[in-house]
Amino acid sequence: MIEKINHIGIAVKNLENSIPFYRDQLGMEFEGTEEVAEQRVRVAFLKVGESRIELLEPTSTDSPVAKFIEKNGEGIHHLAYEVEDIERSLRQLSEQGVRLVDTAPRNGAHGSRIAFLHPKSSGGVLTEICQMGGH
Ligand code: CMX
């Protein structure tokens, strides 16, 4: 089902303060920022081989990322795996009893379609599956 690790999401309070470490100190290729209104976050992507680091800044106090930072501080927020057919993957996971946050895909960055699995079903690691392209 899983093709590769698409990205690792890292919750930050402020993108502009966080980008220089990854771009300038670690030397990653900065691919730009984008607002994902549906998730109430602004994201920055930095390329690492075939994968990316996704920095997530909350755009409102009721954003899931704002709640995460309030509870845990800044840090690793989720792992995103790329799948070929997100509807099929969601169906298979649901049939196997995995608890889903999203029963249907929603819009992510870069025209992707994404869905989250509940961390209670995945050993405390918030897990995203994503399919590239599509909207
Ligand atoms: N990683 C691990 N555990 C997490 C978590 C995370 N990122 N976020 C929340 N949790 C845990 C909490 O610690 C809490 O555990 P306990 O019950 O043991 O205390 C439990 O999940 C419930 O957390 P909560 O703070 O009460 O929050 P909610 O139940 O309201 O929401 C969740 C939890 C996962 C359903 C919600 O954060 C969500 O829907 N996340 C997916 C959407 C998202 O994060 N979008 C932003 C990213 C956008 C993008 O990549 O484009």
Side-chain angles (χ1 to χ4, degrees), residues 32-122:
T33 61
E34 182 177 335
E35 180 152 355
V36 184
E38 206 175 322
Q39 300 283 317
R40 300 185 297 288
V41 288
R42 222 158 56 86
V43 302
F45 280 104
L46 296 115
K47 203 165 181 310
V48 186
E50 278 200 316
S51 304
R52 289 174 176 75
I53 295 295
E54 180 189 50
L55 303 178
L56 302 148
E57 175 197 278
T59 53
S60 97
T61 50
D62 65 350
S63 162
V65 175
K67 283 173 72 178
F68 177 87
I69 292 174
E70 200 180 308
K71 188 168 172 187
N72 308 288
E74 296 178 305
I76 294 184
H77 179 262
H78 68 267
L79 257 183
Y81 299 105
E82 193 167 322
V83 297
E84 202 176 81
D85 180 339
I86 193 166
E87 266 97 3
R88 189 175 66 208
S89 298
L90 281 174
R91 216 167 33 245
Q92 287 173 354
L93 289 163
S94 170
E95 280 163 12
Q96 290 172 81
V98 174
R99 185 168 154 198
L100 307 176
V101 173
D102 301 302
T103 50
R106 42 177 157 166
N107 298 335
H110 287 167
S112 61
R113 295 165 72 226
I114 67 170
F116 283 92
L117 319 183
H118 201 281
K120 294 287 176 209
S121 262
S122 47

Side-chain angles (χ1 to χ4, degrees), residues 19-30 46-49:
I19 289 167
F21 170 70
Y22 295 93
R23 184 192 55 202
D24 305 333
Q25 266 125 48
L26 296 182
M28 294 178 187
E29 183 188 335
F30 173 61
L46 296 115
K47 203 165 181 310
V48 186

